[in-house]
Amino acid sequence: MKALVFAAGLGTRLKPLTDTMPKALVPVGGVALLERVMRKLVAAGYDDIVINVHHFADQIRDFVAAHDNFGVNVSFSDETDLLRETGGGIRHAATLLAGDAPFLVHNVDILSNLDLDWFRAQHRPGDLATILVSDRPTQRYFLFDEAGLLVGWTNLATGEVRSPYSGIDPDCCTRLAFSGIHYISPAIFPLMQDWPEKFGIVDFYLSACRTHAIRAAVMPGLELHDVGKVAELSLLENLNF
């Protein structure tokens, strides 16, 4: 099974640590974020893992080599020439993710108790993507209809609403926060062909949801941490996932 780990980010929220190391190697409880995510993926049966790299890319390559590729096939999607954001990063890795089966995408700075087997089972044949979401406080939310299909996005702080459907009423939708983990059909790549080199996956999903099914997955009891600030690291010292 294939997975893409997003590890190319600059990690600006984790400065000054990321002045000398990539975000992926920032330790939580003495274990690098990348190692935590890789071991979770390998334990769930993912044996062909792509890691995208940009900031301190060689440190990530050396770290993976020092851990014997975590016992699986690991390849690198090199973005040292340009950081392509999430949508562009997925498309840039297309040749490494090629195949008939869907693939997992996982941000390196997201730690959770997600059951990856459960999540994979939520993906329905014919759907373009299944995105892990949860009901948690934030400012930006995806909007879903009664069938759990993506129909829009909103920013509560600014009141902005974006949707391919005119006149959408956010109050009539289910508001859920994105986790940075998704399960994607390879049918996504032809749809990305005419997009620019650099683009966000949220922009792409909002464009594609009018014609393709992008479905919410909400796991009961989900515990998720977006490792975003140095001050938070000490609070996660005893994290057991």
Side-chain angles (χ1 to χ4, degrees):
M1 294 190 296
K2 293 179 181 285
L4 169 63
V5 177
F6 270 119
L10 299 176
T12 53
R13 295 182 301 162
L14 287 170
K15 281 179 171 288
L17 295 177
T18 48
D19 288 336
T20 56
M21 70 171 69
K23 173 176 60 177
L25 299 189
V26 169
V28 174
V31 181
L33 285 167
L34 180 60
E35 181 174 350
R36 285 179 177 269
V37 171
M38 290 292 289
R39 295 200 181 282
K40 184 179 181 72
L41 296 181
V42 172
Y46 288 91
D47 55 4
D48 193 352
I49 301 175
V50 180
I51 303 172
N52 82 333
V53 292
H54 173 84
H55 187 54
F56 292 116
D58 287 342
Q59 288 190 33
I60 295 177
R61 294 177 189 272
D62 292 345
F63 181 83
V64 172
H67 286 78
D68 297 318
N69 287 7
F70 296 93
V72 297
N73 181 55
V74 175
S75 52
F76 296 92
S77 181
D78 194 324
E79 295 189 37
T80 52
D81 64 327
L82 175 68
L83 192 58
R84 290 169 170 80
E85 298 186 17
T86 46
I90 291 170
R91 186 181 60 187
H92 191 65
T95 56
L96 300 172
L97 296 168
D100 297 328
F103 56 90
L104 179 77
V105 175
H106 197 302
N107 286 3
V108 77
D109 55 1
I110 298 296
L111 302 179
S112 76
N113 65 345
L114 173 65
D115 182 334
L116 288 171
D117 292 333
W118 172 89
F119 184 51
R120 187 170 63 252
Q122 305 312 299
H123 187 75
R124 302 184 187 183
D127 283 3
L128 186 65
T130 302
I131 52 180
L132 182 70
V133 288
S134 62
D135 183 8
R136 68 181 188 275
T138 185
Q139 291 184 343
R140 295 176 291 274
Y141 290 95
F142 276 134
L143 302 173
F144 297 90
D145 65 13
E146 293 180 354
L149 296 175
L150 181 66
V151 294
W153 174 93
T154 187
N155 184 330
L156 297 186
T158 64
E160 180 185 6
V161 176
R162 296 170 56 196
S163 173
Y165 301 97
S166 60
I168 189 171
D169 182 356
D171 293 333
C172 295
C173 301
T174 300
R175 224 168 42 195
L176 295 167
F178 185 35
S179 69
I181 303 173
H182 20 168
Y183 201 65
I184 301 175
S185 164
I188 201 169
F189 294 121
L191 300 176
M192 290 178 161
Q193 184 174 351
D194 294 330
W195 282 69
E197 190 70 16
K198 179 178 180 179
F199 64 96
I201 195 62
V202 172
D203 294 333
F204 174 82
Y205 281 159
L206 290 174
S207 172
C209 70
R210 186 176 183 88
T211 53
H212 295 78
I214 300 170
R215 195 175 304 274
V218 181
M219 191 185 93
L222 178 68
E223 184 179 345
L224 183 143
H225 298 279
D226 179 350
V227 183
K229 297 179 181 178
V230 173
E232 297 171 349
L233 294 177
S234 61
L235 304 177
L236 302 176
E237 284 292 316
N238 299 316
L239 199 65
N240 60 0
F241 49 73

